[in-house]
Amino acid sequence: MSASTQTPVLSISDIGKTYAQPVLGGINLSLMRGEVLALTGENGAGKSTLSKIIGGLVIPTTGTMVFNGSPYAPQSRGEAERLGVRMVMQELNLLPTLTVAENLFLDNLPRRAGWIDRKRLREEAIKAMAQVGLDAIDPDTLVGDLGIGHQQMVEIARNLIGDCRVLILDEPTAMLTSREVEMLFEQIQRLRAEGVSIIYISHRLEELARVSQRIAVLRDGRLVCAEPISRYDSEQLVTLMVGRELGEHIDMGQRQIGDVVLAVNKLSRKGKVQDVSFNVRAGEIYGISGLIGAGRTELLRLIYGADRADSGTVEVGRPLRPVTLRSPADAVEHGIALITEDRKSEGLLMTQSISANIALGNMANISRGGVVSAEDERALAQRQIDAMRIRSAGPSQLVSELSGGNQQKVVIGRWLERDCPVMLFDEPTRGIDVGAKFDIYALLAELTRQGRALVVVSSDLRELMLICDRIGVLSAGRLIETFDRDNWTQDRLLAAAFAGYQKRDALIHDPALRTAP
């Protein structure tokens, strides 16, 4: 039976939501059984709000829903899950102090004689993990010891357990390797064959074209398209999303590349980073590429003083001088800023206002006699809201009510108030739509024109090739090679990303090579 002749598994009628101002209005949409519906749009367009309404996390202001022929108005995520509607969010719903197995079956731990049946729990966890390609991970590993990419796969595996009728995936591949992405796509096809309906939220248009049958585009809280995705190419979809045309190139403007202001020398931390050395000049963007687990985030944390290095040095300034980094406070004192990849738990106070978040680290600028000036705090926030084009109701709006892209802009805006000549960006456009990405790129360009040295970690090779002057490739904790703009290709960058693992695997499987020079 074709999708057009089916009865929808989920019908949405005139759904709207208002916070300080309307963020969603008049949404009419249907989801067919066994269908993958792509949901896309700029940050702030209403994607997350709509998906949270469906998943029971947000109560709509207006409208109704029908699920499996019955009225559907979940008052909580748990109620939606009991009915078979599951959601994998960007902000992961995992407990880092529990094991993978415990997280997978937290609501239904197998028991025997009143005690947790550890053997059965492990067996069931191994089966669930195998579905998403986590075969190599011990189910007794603490979730907090896993990288973000692996944690996301655990979250997906958790939601596939039990009776899942509708699965909402919010930017599911943002932190996954290509192998993990392929495994996810295989699971999507399996779920479709079993009649599971999927709402797939992403800004990666090539993925949407590959996995979905229809696409729904939101712009400014309104539905502007809900049609077969085959009718549109990427350029047309981008135009629908942003209401304007965007090119595939960015003019970084006139920049003056100056002296080296950051030098990393043989930096190491056991099991994470080994003998990494590179330098970055004023006005330059130095990109860091590599597979998940290659040591990219760990390297930035060492430079920022968030983790202690076993050996190696960091030099900063003009002229260069060695600095001691016992903590992030030391790094900030020496002019190093870090925009973390995990803005939810490490970059923002989600329950606080925009003004409170931007004021963090800038108290000296808004204090009078040791007392924070509310007027100066609001003015500081408004300056960054205007400069960063943060979509909000004003400085007093809670950060938790903003879209992911606008939350990221709040984090960056905080650091722009400080005179940090070295800025480290870890996945700065993760989960951000096409239009907002170009806003971030323009911002990075402006920072280089101010003479700042930028280090940018990204999982998106095309992004690095678009904005960087040089790209260093990490593989298995080592810096394999640094490429200049005129001598890199995507194939060469990918080959370097795998090179360290190939060498490591050769050492593991051929003991004779372990003593080779």
Side-chain angles (χ1 to χ4, degrees), residues 195-367:
V196 176
S197 304
I198 298 172
I199 298 175
Y200 192 104
I201 304 171
S202 179
H203 302 113
R204 300 185 178 187
L205 301 181
E206 69 279 4
E207 288 184 6
L208 299 183
R210 180 175 172 185
V211 301
S212 63
Q213 291 73 58
R214 283 193 305 143
I215 186 164
V217 180
L218 294 177
R219 185 170 73 232
D220 297 328
R222 298 283 175 173
L223 186 67
V224 297
C225 165
E227 299 184 60
I229 195 169
S230 58
R231 296 179 182 175
Y232 296 90
D233 60 27
S234 294
E235 290 185 6
Q236 291 170 326
L237 289 174
V238 169
T239 301
L240 280 172
M241 289 165 58
V242 303
R244 63 189 188 275
E245 294 186 2
L246 290 173
E248 288 300 317
H249 303 281
I250 183 170
D251 181 7
M252 302 297 282
Q254 292 296 318
R255 292 180 295 149
Q256 186 68 40
I257 304 296
D259 298 329
V260 173
V261 293
L262 172 67
V264 176
N265 308 299
K266 294 187 175 299
L267 207 58
S268 297
R269 181 177 172 87
K270 186 176 181 181
K272 303 295 184 181
V273 175
Q274 188 167 354
D275 291 331
V276 170
S277 300
F278 67 93
N279 59 63
V280 190
R281 296 165 291 181
E284 179 183 32
I285 300 180
Y286 182 87
I288 296 181
S289 179
L291 305 177
I292 289 178
R296 301 169 305 170
T297 293
E298 291 81 359
L299 175 60
L300 292 194
R301 289 177 60 86
L302 292 178
I303 299 171
Y304 190 59
D307 294 325
R308 192 73 66 88
D310 297 328
S311 60
T313 61
V314 175
E315 297 176 272
V316 181
R318 282 184 283 191
L320 287 170
R321 64 190 185 283
V323 295
T324 301
L325 301 173
R326 294 179 294 266
S327 69
D330 290 337
V332 174
E333 182 179 342
H334 293 297
I336 303 173
L338 171 65
I339 290 80
T340 176
E341 69 170 332
D342 190 358
R343 58 180 175 263
K344 301 287 186 181
S345 61
E346 297 179 356
L348 293 167
L349 298 176
M350 297 299 293
T351 60
Q352 299 298 310
S353 65
I354 296 173
S355 59
N357 273 275
I358 292 180
L360 286 174
N362 294 300
M363 292 300 182
N365 300 334
I366 58 175
S367 298

